[in-house]
Amino acid sequence: MLSVSISAGMYFENTGCQIMANKNNAPGQRGRRPLSIFAVLALCCFFYLLGAWQRSGSGKGDNLALKVNNLMSDCNIMPELSFESHHNDVEIIEPAEPKAKKIKACDVKYTDYTPCQEQDRAMTFPRENMIYRERHCPPEDEKLRCLIPAPNGYTTPFPWPKSRDFAYYANVPYKSLTVEKAVQNWVQFQGNVFKFPGGGTMFPQGADAYIDELASVIPIKDGSIRTALDTGCGVASWGAYMLKRNVLTMSFAPKDNHEAQVQFALERGVPAVIGVLGTIHLPYPARAFDMAQCSRCLIPWTSNAGMYLMEVDRVLRPGGYWVLSGPPINWKTYYQTWKRSKEDVKAEQRNIEELAESLCWEKKYEKGDIAIWRKKINAKSCLRKSPNLCDSDNADDVWYKKMEGCQTPFPEVSSKSEVAGGELKKFPARLYAVPPRIAKGIVPDVTAESYEEDNKLWKKHVNAYKRMNKLIGTTRYRNVMDMNAELGGFAAALESPKSWVMNVVPTSAKNTLGVIYERGLIGIYHDWCEGFSTYPRTYDLIHANGLFSMYQDSCNLEDILIEMDRILRPEGVVIIRDEVDVLNKVKKIVGGMRWEAKMVDHEDGPLVPEKILVAVKEYWVSSSNNSTSSEE
């Protein structure tokens, strides 16, 4: 009997799949339901496993388990998921199981809805210190729990690098900037597209020439400068052209009368968020940026006891550079154009110079419209000590925290030549070098060894993602978000000029954002119980690792998924990695959304309790003749 069983197992392993495939396609099988592709695949896997088990014999359990895991990983085929762009030709596949609660579409008037920066809500707050332009999120009973429609005619954005210079008008249908900023060459309207000539208010002839001048003073080309901050970015042309130098720029601008400037930036494939220097800290850690710039950003740097420049100092790395172009620089030439007196603009520049000196910045350059300062590498090299140091023990604890008129202290050093906080390698070497925050033991429970293991793990995970979806790593997914970035391993494994990753560190997670910046990556703090500071349809791929386990007891998981849908582009992809019990809850909610979803096993096989949910957002748009209908 045993020999018969073994022979049968080996026979079915070798021939069973072929037999089942032939039977499935055999003509004249009346009264029989044809086997689906999934049934055939399942039987193939069964026959193979039967033969493997029978051959394994006594004492070969480990070898068998390895075969099971490897085989079942190979059986994670997703033929019904399509990752290519189809627009309104995407087929809507009805789930076999009972339908989940359907989440309705929002009215067409919410096409560009930004929950925490809505104009009507903003206007109810004080204008002083830009309070009304800061984040003001709706209370629970006012949250918009519906799916944001894309505008009629929405099209997948141009691939990078063409997207840097062109965007479809239908995707961002706002022409005001083409008139208001026509002289500065921000954006032009041509036919059915916008063209971005690369100009800015202070560089109407193009960002390249402007950056070349900066590079004559700042070591932009050799990898020393990797992360930059653009305050009041406009359509982020400076950040767009800094990418040519392999510099990642975090650009921000308020949602104000310059409609959709940040939306334009993201449509171009350039990192940006809605934000403002107002009364609360910027959502970035201390010592994050190698460089910061203000190009006619009109921020009152000397008001509030220099609080705004002190905030730039907090996020600027020791040895980093600050660029100011525009008022009051070159005031002798422009004071009449600015309709200000000589005395006024001269005093403003003098106050900036004194404030910069008190912050331990050294002026390196001033010519024409541009001035450049460099922050000293430590407090021992300062010409004078700041009279007003902040008392905070944690300069990274900034979410909704009020700014104060004080300087963030330098980390302690033992000599004048030591870089406060730790010296960074030039990029790309810094991407995988042990970050100073880890080497110095600042991040709890993270060592150099665990950091190295984390990098290996994420290389493995990303390789598995690429096997699932061949388009990952191409320009098809230009704007990528990691909703729970941890040490930045996902972004590091994806690192390529073809894409960039917004690494989000949830406020309820371990604070690792400083590590991410030390790796030469960019990111932001955020609480996912609230809306993210971006426009709808601004990301191509969203990754969430362990996020729903983290938030399942603190806010509504449906709200998080609706927010993910809001910021995801039509036909964009979501990858959610989490425990199976949590993913089952998520999958049930997703069943009522316009997503095509599939749950697959961990790359190490079905015995691992962690699973992966992969989804594609269907293409659908608002209808011009019905405010809530869609083209399906």
Side-chain angles (χ1 to χ4, degrees), residues 158 162 165-170 178 187-196:
F158 291 107
K162 186 175 181 179
D165 302 325
F166 295 95
Y168 290 107
Y169 169 76
T178 65
V187 57
Q188 301 166 355
F189 180 64
Q190 298 180 354
N192 67 337
V193 301
F194 290 110
K195 181 179 179 180
F196 301 91

Side-chain angles (χ1 to χ4, degrees), residues 23-77:
K23 281 191 174 184
N24 198 38
N25 295 317
Q29 301 292 324
R30 296 183 61 186
R32 296 185 181 182
R33 184 178 179 183
L35 291 176
S36 71
I37 182 64
F38 294 111
V40 174
L41 289 169
L43 286 167
C44 288
C45 293
F46 169 77
F47 292 138
Y48 184 94
L49 290 171
L50 178 61
W53 172 77
Q54 289 163 338
R55 287 198 309 274
S56 66
S58 175
K60 295 185 179 179
D62 292 341
N63 184 47
L64 175 58
L66 183 61
K67 277 181 174 289
V68 171
N69 280 347
N70 290 342
L71 176 61
M72 294 307 289
S73 293
D74 292 340
C75 290
N76 280 334
I77 300 172

Side-chain angles (χ1 to χ4, degrees), residues 501-567:
V501 180
M502 179 66 76
N503 293 281
V504 182
V505 172
T507 54
S508 55
K510 184 183 296 182
N511 190 343
T512 55
L513 192 53
V515 167
I516 289 168
Y517 273 95
E518 287 178 343
R519 300 187 71 168
L521 304 169
I522 58 172
I524 195 169
Y525 294 115
H526 184 64
D527 179 358
W528 284 110
C529 293
E530 301 180 354
F532 192 74
S533 291
T534 192
Y535 286 83
R537 303 173 301 280
T538 47
Y539 286 89
D540 301 295
L541 189 156
I542 299 177
H543 178 257
N545 173 49
L547 184 85
F548 290 91
S549 291
M550 180 187 301
Y551 276 99
Q552 63 177 331
D553 297 325
S554 55
C555 57
N556 191 332
L557 299 189
E558 180 181 299
D559 289 347
I560 298 176
L561 287 162
I562 289 174
E563 176 64 3
M564 291 169 71
D565 182 85
R566 184 185 74 86
I567 67 179

Side-chain angles (χ1 to χ4, degrees), residues 220-293:
I220 291 174
K221 298 179 182 179
D222 71 353
S224 299
I225 304 297
R226 167 62 178 175
T227 57
L229 179 69
D230 191 1
T231 56
C233 65
V235 295
S237 287
W238 187 70
Y241 281 81
M242 287 291 279
L243 286 166
K244 291 174 60 176
R245 277 78 170 177
N246 208 18
V247 175
L248 277 176
T249 303
M250 177 67 78
S251 299
F252 72 82
K255 185 180 180 185
D256 58 11
N257 57 313
H258 290 161
E259 186 69 47
Q261 50 190 325
V262 164
Q263 191 175 17
F264 273 123
L266 287 154
E267 192 71 16
R268 299 174 71 183
V270 181
V273 291
I274 301 171
V276 66
L277 268 170
T279 63
I280 61 175
H281 282 290
L282 295 175
Y284 315 116
R287 308 188 306 281
F289 299 100
D290 300 309
M291 179 181 179
Q293 81 122 15

Side-chain angles (χ1 to χ4, degrees), residues 12 50 56 111 135 162 173 214 332 338 340 385 481:
F12 278 122
L50 178 61
S56 66
T111 296
R135 287 175 57 84
K162 186 175 181 179
L214 302 184
K332 292 179 182 178
W338 299 334
R340 296 174 64 182
K385 292 185 178 180
M481 173 182 283

Side-chain angles (χ1 to χ4, degrees), residues 377-444:
I377 63 171
N378 57 48
K380 289 184 181 293
S381 58
C382 294
L383 296 177
R384 66 179 188 180
K385 292 185 178 180
S386 173
N388 190 16
L389 293 176
C390 300
D391 295 328
S392 174
D393 293 331
N394 186 0
D396 295 352
D397 182 16
V398 293
W399 184 248
Y400 282 128
K401 298 293 176 66
K402 292 286 186 181
M403 279 191 285
E404 300 177 62
C406 59
Q407 182 187 4
T408 302
F410 282 93
E412 292 293 329
V413 295
S414 56
S415 69
K416 283 189 176 182
S417 61
E418 183 182 350
V419 178
E423 187 171 3
L424 299 179
K425 293 184 181 295
K426 295 180 180 180
F427 196 85
R430 75 168 73 166
L431 184 63
Y432 282 105
V434 178
R437 278 174 166 88
I438 292 177
K440 293 176 181 293
I442 295 173
V443 183

Side-chain angles (χ1 to χ4, degrees), residues 74-136:
D74 292 340
C75 290
N76 280 334
I77 300 172
M78 298 180 288
E80 79 276 27
L81 280 182
S82 175
F83 299 107
E84 298 285 355
S85 298
H86 303 290
H87 304 300
N88 55 348
D89 293 324
V90 173
E91 180 184 2
I92 297 175
I93 299 177
E94 295 293 336
E97 63 266 14
K99 292 183 179 179
K101 182 189 78 172
K102 185 175 181 180
I103 301 174
K104 66 179 181 178
C106 300
D107 191 280
V108 65
K109 69 182 180 180
Y110 294 109
T111 296
D112 288 324
Y113 180 65
T114 54
C116 299
Q117 277 105 355
E118 275 303 282
Q119 181 75 357
D120 290 345
R121 188 179 303 280
M123 298 307 289
T124 65
F125 288 89
R127 307 295 194 274
E128 181 186 4
N129 293 326
M130 297 292 283
I131 292 173
Y132 74 121
R133 296 299 184 196
E134 295 181 319
R135 287 175 57 84
H136 303 290

Side-chain angles (χ1 to χ4, degrees), residues 195-489:
K195 181 179 179 180
F196 301 91
T201 305
M202 297 311 301
F203 41 94
Q205 302 308 311
D208 265 334
Y210 176 80
I211 294 170
D212 286 341
E213 184 173 356
L214 302 184
S216 68
V217 180
I218 303 170
I220 291 174
K221 298 179 182 179
D222 71 353
S224 299
I225 304 297
R226 167 62 178 175
T227 57
L229 179 69
D230 191 1
T231 56
C233 65
V235 295
S237 287
W238 187 70
Y241 281 81
M242 287 291 279
L243 286 166
K244 291 174 60 176
R245 277 78 170 177
N246 208 18
V247 175
L248 277 176
T249 303
M250 177 67 78
S251 299
F252 72 82
K255 185 180 180 185
D256 58 11
N257 57 313
H258 290 161
E259 186 69 47
Q261 50 190 325
V262 164
Q263 191 175 17
F264 273 123
L266 287 154
E267 192 71 16
R268 299 174 71 183
V270 181
V273 291
I274 301 171
V276 66
L277 268 170
T279 63
I280 61 175
H281 282 290
L282 295 175
Y284 315 116
R287 308 188 306 281
F289 299 100
D290 300 309
M291 179 181 179
Q293 81 122 15
C294 160
S295 176
R296 195 175 169 79
C297 62
L298 303 181
I299 293 171
W301 296 113
T302 58
S303 64
N304 297 315
M307 183 171 68
Y308 300 136
L309 206 57
M310 291 174 180
E311 179 66 355
V312 171
D313 177 73
R314 182 185 68 83
V315 301
L316 191 62
R317 187 163 290 133
Y321 294 84
W322 184 60
V323 178
L324 176 61
S325 59
I329 306 302
N330 206 2
W331 58 267
K332 292 179 182 178
T333 302
Y334 295 116
Y335 75 94
Q336 289 180 318
T337 304
W338 299 334
K339 297 180 180 179
R340 296 174 64 182
S341 68
K342 284 185 179 181
E343 293 73 24
D344 181 29
V345 287
K346 181 179 180 180
E348 183 182 351
Q349 177 155 352
R350 184 176 63 250
N351 290 339
I352 289 176
E353 305 269 10
E354 292 175 354
L355 183 58
E357 186 180 350
S358 73
L359 293 172
C360 205
W361 296 5
E362 181 183 358
K363 192 171 188 180
K364 291 292 187 180
Y365 180 85
E366 182 175 351
K367 184 178 179 182
D369 301 337
I370 300 173
I372 302 173
W373 285 262
R374 188 183 187 197
K375 183 176 178 177
K376 294 286 188 177
I377 63 171
N378 57 48
K380 289 184 181 293
S381 58
C382 294
L383 296 177
R384 66 179 188 180
K385 292 185 178 180
S386 173
N388 190 16
L389 293 176
C390 300
D391 295 328
S392 174
D393 293 331
N394 186 0
D396 295 352
D397 182 16
V398 293
W399 184 248
Y400 282 128
K401 298 293 176 66
K402 292 286 186 181
M403 279 191 285
E404 300 177 62
C406 59
Q407 182 187 4
T408 302
F410 282 93
E412 292 293 329
V413 295
S414 56
S415 69
K416 283 189 176 182
S417 61
E418 183 182 350
V419 178
E423 187 171 3
L424 299 179
K425 293 184 181 295
K426 295 180 180 180
F427 196 85
R430 75 168 73 166
L431 184 63
Y432 282 105
V434 178
R437 278 174 166 88
I438 292 177
K440 293 176 181 293
I442 295 173
V443 183
D445 305 319
V446 180
T447 64
E449 291 74 21
S450 65
Y451 168 74
E452 300 286 357
E453 288 302 314
D454 187 75
N455 287 332
K456 292 177 183 177
L457 180 65
W458 279 107
K459 286 178 181 179
K460 176 181 175 181
H461 288 339
V462 169
N463 284 335
Y465 296 158
K466 289 180 177 180
R467 288 195 297 272
M468 292 179 194
N469 181 350
K470 303 295 185 184
L471 296 175
I472 293 176
T474 72
T475 56
R476 174 64 183 84
Y477 304 125
R478 170 68 183 170
N479 299 358
V480 181
M481 173 182 283
D482 192 356
M483 297 177 71
N484 183 22
E486 298 178 320
L487 300 176

